Amino acid sequence: MNEWPMVPQTVKNLKKAVDLLKTDKIDFAGVYLNAVDRWGHSYGPNSKEVFDIVKQTDEAIKEMLLLLKTYNLEKNTNVVIFSDHGMTEISESRTIDISDHIGNVDVIAVEDKGAVCSIWPREGKIDKVYTGLTSMGNSHIKVFKKDTLPDRWHYRNNKLVAPIIVVADLGWYILTPGGPSIDKYMNGPAKGYHGYDNAEEDMHGIFLAMGPGVHVNGCACYCCVTVMPLSYDCHATVMRLSTKALATYQAPSA
């Protein structure tokens, strides 16, 4: 396997962050780990490789917590562990090529592929491009004009959003003229992907917090990480975080 020295470097960064907190040189430290995400794309979120990298990540967090205890910082340090997305399995057998249905002469730009595709038709061509896509009759994509995007996405009112958005069903992958194949990662074509509808459980991330500034109000929330064989029942809602020494570690949910 092509080794990627992200976890060892993260351990060093976590130790450096705690050392800086110890000397009161900083009040906030953020450490980012990309390994779980990269391994999830490369081998799939349910793979042994991802399970192994999650265990390494867990050990890195354990070392950080032990350092906080050693330096007597645990009682005045808030620790937040969070991810920005989840991940789901994909396959080359579940692709949808929209290239022949958008018409190059009718389109100015096509951005992205995979879970979501943004399309900018030429002036006066929005309806034609939209009809071309919907006439595919593919049940594994949804085609939206900008003003019909779901309210819960909070996405349609920005001027940078494309006039037409194509969204794939969970686990399906959109191919475009500029992206005629699945993205390549360490192990060939990606086996895991994210960016799908955030209502899908596989897309959910985590938000875990501990420390003197984290308060429980009795409200239960459920956080699920599907990229790893772990789930968390978080019977607490974070009400506020104290401003003193907030140490943050971000672990992408691959």
Side-chain angles (χ1 to χ4, degrees), residues 4 12 27 34 45 48 55 93 95 117 128 138 166 169 175 181 191 195 200 205 220 240 242 244:
W4 191 265
K12 294 178 182 178
D27 289 325
N34 190 42
K48 179 183 181 299
K55 288 196 294 184
S93 66
T95 60
C117 175
K128 181 179 179 181
N138 193 302
V166 185
D169 283 352
L175 302 177
S181 61
K191 294 181 176 62
E200 296 285 355
R240 67 178 178 85
S242 73
K244 174 63 177 176

Side-chain angles (χ1 to χ4, degrees), residues 192-208:
Y193 217 73
H194 50 79
Y196 298 93
D197 190 334
N198 59 8
E200 296 285 355
E201 188 173 322
D202 277 10
M203 294 299 100
H204 294 178
I206 60 170
F207 190 99
L208 307 174

Side-chain angles (χ1 to χ4, degrees), residues 95-182:
T95 60
I96 304 163
D97 194 342
I98 65 172
S99 302
D100 294 336
H101 301 273
I102 54 179
N104 289 336
V105 297
D106 298 321
V107 170
I108 298 173
V110 179
E111 292 292 334
D112 298 324
K113 60 178 181 175
V116 180
C117 175
S118 301
I119 301 172
W120 281 264
R122 296 188 183 279
E123 186 175 355
K125 299 295 184 179
I126 291 177
D127 288 339
K128 181 179 179 181
V129 174
Y130 177 81
T131 299
L133 289 165
T134 55
S135 66
M136 289 177 63
N138 193 302
S139 62
H140 297 296
I141 59 170
K142 296 179 179 65
V143 184
F144 299 95
K145 290 183 180 179
K146 180 178 178 178
D147 60 0
T148 66
L149 288 167
D151 290 338
R152 61 185 174 83
W153 289 352
H154 304 284
Y155 189 60
R156 66 177 176 229
N157 295 324
N158 193 295
K159 65 181 180 180
L160 299 179
V161 176
I164 295 177
I165 303 292
V166 185
V167 180
D169 283 352
L170 187 72
W172 287 79
Y173 194 100
I174 299 169
L175 302 177
T176 66
S181 61
I182 291 179

Side-chain angles (χ1 to χ4, degrees), residues 207 214-223 233-239:
F207 190 99
V214 180
H215 298 270
V216 178
N217 72 346
C219 177
C221 63
Y222 182 74
C223 304
D233 284 307
C234 309
H235 299 293
T237 297
V238 178
M239 297 300 293

